[in-house]
Amino acid sequence: MVMIYMALFLWTGAEAQDGQNPSVQNEDAADPALLRRAAKSLNHLKRALQRDHYPSALAALNIWRCDAMAADAFDDVQFRAYRRQIYEKSVDNILKWFDVCLEEKWIREADYCQKVYRLHARIINIFDQERYDEMTEKIERRKKEIEAEKKKR
């Protein structure tokens, strides 16, 4: 058994001395399995962008990024475009939920939506301070309306 390990060690050492890494056969050729995996995760990301919401789409983006980097097929411009789509969709969705929360008198949830809006909009540089202030005013106005309703009872 020791002889097998020594022979293997000497064999790998001889290849390494020739300037080649025995674990890498050809650096120019990407592993087809890694390329297939990256392509599958890209398709999953595209589906997630169409049908899923922020957490699932962001997870799909991160999986694609890891797979594409492993396959040496990562494109940063494409990554940023997909990321922007995810955050834009999140901002649109959170603004809709903000209005629903106010209608349903869910003040704590409306406040949460406002904070998520601020965070996600800043990430992609579309934050609007006027809109944020308007959201604050709507929350305060709704709080007063709820308090007035409680006093009437």
Side-chain angles (χ1 to χ4, degrees), residues 90-114:
S90 173
V91 167
D92 291 343
N93 190 38
I94 210 72
L95 290 174
K96 291 175 188 172
W97 274 108
F98 176 79
D99 293 333
V100 169
C101 291
L102 288 179
E103 288 174 22
E104 297 294 328
K105 302 175 187 175
W106 301 334
I107 300 301
R108 188 176 67 210
E109 288 79 3
D111 189 48
Y112 174 78
C113 288
Q114 181 189 25

Side-chain angles (χ1 to χ4, degrees), residues 44-73:
H44 180 73
L45 169 62
K46 288 178 180 178
R47 281 194 319 270
L49 286 170
Q50 292 174 352
R51 66 173 187 202
D52 294 346
H53 292 286
Y54 170 76
S56 178
L58 191 62
L61 176 70
N62 289 329
I63 290 169
W64 169 74
R65 180 181 62 188
C66 290
D67 289 345
M69 286 179 151
D72 200 27

Side-chain angles (χ1 to χ4, degrees), residues 16-32:
Q17 287 176 358
D18 291 338
Q20 296 179 1
N21 186 345
S23 64
V24 178
Q25 295 169 352
N26 186 358
E27 291 181 16
D28 295 335
D31 184 7

